[in-house]
Amino acid sequence: EASHNQAMRFGELPSWAMALSDSIHDAVLSCSIHVPTDLESCNGRRNELVSPFPSDLLWRQPLFDQLIANLYHPGEGICAHVDLMRFEDGIAIVSLESPCVMHFSQVEAEGGESSSSSSSSANRKKIPVYLNPGSLILMSGEARYEWKHEINRNPGVQMWEGHELQQATRTSITLRKLR
Ligand code: AKG
């Protein structure tokens, strides 16, 4: 319905989301690479798996058991946040339909810094990440717990390489695992 912009599912995921979860698993495996831990003596004796998702998370069962589908009209986005602690580490977001820029900003230290500090939250650096339709965002560890993510689609804000992005309706699918 036009008035609905969010749907959630907890527990067993619908078959299309299970298929998506399997695709994410396969995509992570296919871009994981083995590198020697000691590049000086790279005789293949000690290899380390470098993966965008830690392997203990990748092989957990189920990989995800909670999903949110968000629908955003042009101009709509999501405020800076860290996902709730009721969700385990290891979060995946699939971004669909409209290109956009997601910004990451570091969480303030406990106790905060004075607002006059040059590194106050207002001055804190935001890291932009461009998302094509079909982009997959994987957040684990520091990225999941110590960085907030947000999408500001106000007119004039969604800039990439000097050009304003043409906004359309955007859908995202967020997959997480309950604690
Ligand atoms: C959330 O639902 O918590 C999100 O961060 C969604 C982000 C997105 O729409 O890409």
Side-chain angles (χ1 to χ4, degrees):
E1 293 175 24
S3 61
H4 289 183
N5 60 7
Q6 191 175 70
M8 290 193 195
R9 182 78 169 245
F10 293 83
E12 197 176 325
L13 300 183
S15 56
W16 63 265
M18 292 303 294
L20 184 60
S21 170
D22 290 346
S23 299
I24 291 169
H25 184 272
D26 293 349
V28 172
L29 277 183
S30 69
C31 64
S32 301
I33 51 167
H34 282 93
V35 294
T37 48
D38 178 359
L39 291 175
E40 293 296 308
S41 57
C42 52
N43 294 331
R45 278 172 302 202
R46 288 189 60 210
N47 280 342
E48 184 187 10
L49 187 66
V50 175
S51 160
F53 223 46
S55 57
D56 56 326
L57 301 180
L58 188 62
W59 294 101
R60 70 186 173 194
Q61 289 293 333
L63 182 51
F64 305 111
D65 61 8
Q66 198 268 347
L67 85 81
I68 301 184
N70 281 311
L71 173 71
Y72 304 90
H73 297 293
E76 294 176 345
I78 189 161
C79 295
H81 66 283
V82 171
D83 284 18
L84 296 174
M85 294 304 134
R86 73 171 68 152
F87 300 110
E88 279 189 9
D89 194 9
I91 293 169
I93 303 173
V94 181
S95 187
L96 300 169
E97 297 181 284
S98 182
C100 73
V101 179
M102 180 178 273
H103 281 96
F104 286 81
S105 52
Q106 257 180 314
V107 173
E108 296 81 1
E110 195 75 26
E113 292 162 273
S114 79
S115 56
S116 59
S117 160
S118 61
S119 59
S120 68
S121 54
N123 296 326
R124 207 169 280 272
K125 198 170 175 194
K126 288 187 176 181
I127 309 293
V129 177
Y130 176 71
L131 304 178
N132 269 322
S135 288
L136 169 64
I137 303 132
L138 297 167
M139 290 186 289
S140 65
E142 195 181 327
R144 185 259 183 272
Y145 293 113
E146 294 173 35
W147 290 74
K148 295 189 259 189
H149 54 284
E150 69 181 293
I151 299 171
N152 181 345
R153 299 215 303 163
N154 286 336
V157 175
Q158 286 279 290
M159 303 292 294
W160 191 254
E161 294 183 343
H163 300 288
E164 183 161 0
L165 299 182
Q166 288 301 310
Q167 294 196 31
T169 298
R170 173 174 179 267
T171 302
S172 69
I173 311 294
T174 302
L175 292 162
R176 301 182 280 211
K177 172 103 168 55
L178 287 160
R179 283 194 191 278

